[in-house]
Amino acid sequence: LYESELNNNITLSDVFISVKTTKHYQYTRLPIILKTWFQLAKQQIWFFTDTDNRQHQNQTNGHMVNTNCSASHQRKHLCCKMSVEYDRFLESGKKWFCHFDDDNYVNVPRLVSVLQTYNHKEDWYLGRTSVYEPVKIFKKPTNKLMFSFWFATGGAGFCISRSLALKMLPVASGGRFISICEGIRLPDDVSVGFIIEHLMKKNLTLVPEFHSHLEQMKLLPPETFRDQISFSYSKIKEEWNVVNVPGFDTRYDPTRFLSLHCFLFPHFKFCPR
Ligand code: UDP
Ligand code: MN
C-alpha cells in the first residue's frame, strides 16, 4: 500500500463546494457570500445559477456556472440545478461533494475538519434532517406503504463522499437526476435522499452541525459557533430568523452573516478592531 492510500487526511482542496443560487438573489444573497466565506475557499466554491453576470464571473475567477436551468422555484428547475452540480462534481475529481444554498454561511475550516473524520473511499451521506419521520411512499390505490427513506435538508447543506457519488452515477449522472425527480415528484434534496437511501441502500448519517432556517437560529449559542458547519437566515413577513451574534448594526447586517464572519475570523479587513 502507498502511504497516500493509508492517509485519510483530506484538505480543503479535496472538497467541491456547490452553492445553488439564482438571478433573483444575485444582488442580495450572493454579495454577502462573496464578501465572507467565499474568500476562504475561492478555489473550491462553485455557484450554480441561471444567468450570466460578468462582474460576478470576474469576482469569482470564473466560478459562476450558468446551468441554463430556468430561474424558478419549481421542482423541475431546482432539480435541474442539482443535476448540474452533481455532474460538475464528478468531473472535478474531488473527494467530497458538499451542496449548500445561497442563504447558508459555511464555516469552511469546520467543514473540512468534520470531513476528515470520515473516509471518502467509503460511502457517506452526511447532513441534517428537517422532518421527524422519514418520507413515506404509498402504493396507489390501496395506500399500502411501499417504502420510506430519510433525506438531508438541502437548506442546511449536505456532503456525499466520492465513493458514494460514483455509485449513483448510473441513475443520477448526465441529467438522469432530473428524471428521478420528475418520476417521484419530489424536491431535489428529497430526491437525493431517495437515490441514496432507497436505491443505493446507504443510510444518511446525521451531522447536527449543519443548520437550516427551519430551525430557530437564535437558539445556537455563540460559544458553539466555531463547531458548527453551516448557518442560515430567513425573513418571514417582518420577522428575521437569524443567528444571535454581536457585531454590526442590524440595519447594515440584517442577515448577521457579516457579524458572524467577524466573530469567527476577526482579522478580516472589513471587521472592526
Ligand atoms: N432558488 C433558485 N431559483 C429560484 C428560487 C430559489 O435556484 O427561483 C434557490 C435559492 O437560490 C436557494 C434555494 O433555491 O439556494 C432555496 O431558495 P429559498 O431560500 O428562496 O427558499 P426556501 O426553499 O429556503 O424556502
Ligand atoms: Mn432558504
Side-chain angles (χ1 to χ4, degrees):
L1 275 177
Y2 293 103
E3 190 174 355
S4 63
E5 289 179 85
L6 297 168
N7 185 356
N8 186 36
N9 219 353
I10 62 132
T11 64
L12 179 57
S13 66
D14 296 314
V15 188
F16 181 93
I17 301 175
S18 68
V19 180
K20 178 169 64 181
T21 188
T22 170
K23 67 177 180 194
H24 303 298
Y25 299 143
Q26 61 180 328
Y27 298 118
T28 50
R29 297 183 181 189
L30 187 62
I32 301 171
I33 300 179
L34 294 182
K35 193 170 178 178
T36 59
W37 60 277
F38 175 72
Q39 297 302 323
L40 298 173
K42 286 182 180 179
Q43 300 305 312
Q44 284 68 42
I45 300 169
W46 295 86
F47 295 96
F48 293 82
T49 188
D50 42 41
T51 189
D52 288 313
N53 181 316
R54 185 130 43 91
Q55 192 204 334
H56 289 149
Q57 203 59 270
N58 286 341
Q59 272 178 282
T60 61
N61 194 25
H63 280 223
M64 304 291 310
V65 178
N66 185 349
T67 58
N68 292 314
C69 303
S70 304
S72 98
H73 204 275
Q74 286 173 47
R75 179 185 64 238
K76 191 175 181 174
H77 305 136
L78 295 180
C79 286
C80 175
K81 274 184 192 148
M82 181 68 76
S83 173
V84 180
E85 290 174 47
Y86 169 72
D87 283 342
R88 289 294 290 258
F89 162 70
L90 289 177
E91 283 169 30
S92 77
K94 302 283 182 195
K95 294 174 178 163
W96 286 96
F97 169 39
C98 297
H99 158 95
F100 295 95
D101 279 358
D102 58 5
D103 50 7
N104 283 134
Y105 177 94
V106 180
N107 184 4
V108 173
R110 183 61 178 154
L111 173 67
V112 175
S113 70
V114 170
L115 291 179
Q116 281 172 344
T117 66
Y118 300 92
N119 187 345
H120 68 275
K121 290 179 185 164
E122 296 168 3
D123 299 330
W124 290 106
Y125 173 33
L126 311 174
R128 180 190 187 102
T129 57
S130 61
V131 286
Y132 298 101
E133 47 177 45
V135 180
K136 294 180 176 139
I137 304 292
F138 298 94
K139 194 181 176 77
K140 290 242 166 85
T142 53
N143 279 346
K144 184 177 172 275
L145 180 65
M146 285 207 291
F147 57 86
S148 64
F149 60 92
W150 292 96
F151 70 96
T153 303
F158 60 80
C159 297
I160 298 173
S161 63
R162 181 151 202 96
S163 166
L164 178 54
L166 287 173
K167 291 195 173 128
M168 296 160 62
L169 204 142
V171 294
S173 68
R176 279 177 279 257
F177 180 76
I178 306 173
S179 313
I180 298 257
C181 275
E182 286 304 290
I184 59 169
R185 310 199 146 270
L186 290 170
D188 52 352
D189 52 356
V190 186
S191 297
V192 170
F194 167 79
I195 291 171
I196 296 174
E197 285 228 328
H198 183 67
L199 299 182
M200 308 286 119
K201 303 288 179 218
K202 306 287 175 182
N203 288 336
L204 169 66
T205 298
L206 290 179
V207 177
E209 289 91 348
F210 287 98
H211 299 284
S212 79
H213 56 67
L214 295 171
E215 302 161 57
Q216 278 202 66
M217 284 296 111
K218 66 177 179 206
L219 297 183
L220 286 175
E223 52 293 1
T224 72
F225 288 170
R226 221 163 274 288
D227 304 325
Q228 311 301 342
I229 295 171
S230 62
F231 304 83
S232 190
Y233 62 84
S234 66
K235 190 189 181 190
I236 297 166
K237 299 214 174 110
E238 287 310 300
E239 276 308 307
W240 282 90
N241 175 11
V242 289
V243 175
N244 183 17
V245 61
F248 298 109
D249 191 284
T250 52
R251 278 165 299 182
Y252 171 66
D253 181 26
T255 70
R256 308 313 290 152
F257 278 7
L258 302 179
S259 302
L260 177 61
H261 189 72
C262 290
F263 182 96
L264 294 171
F265 307 101
H267 61 274
F268 255 65
K269 247 197 290 195
F270 70 84
C271 299
R273 65 198 76 216

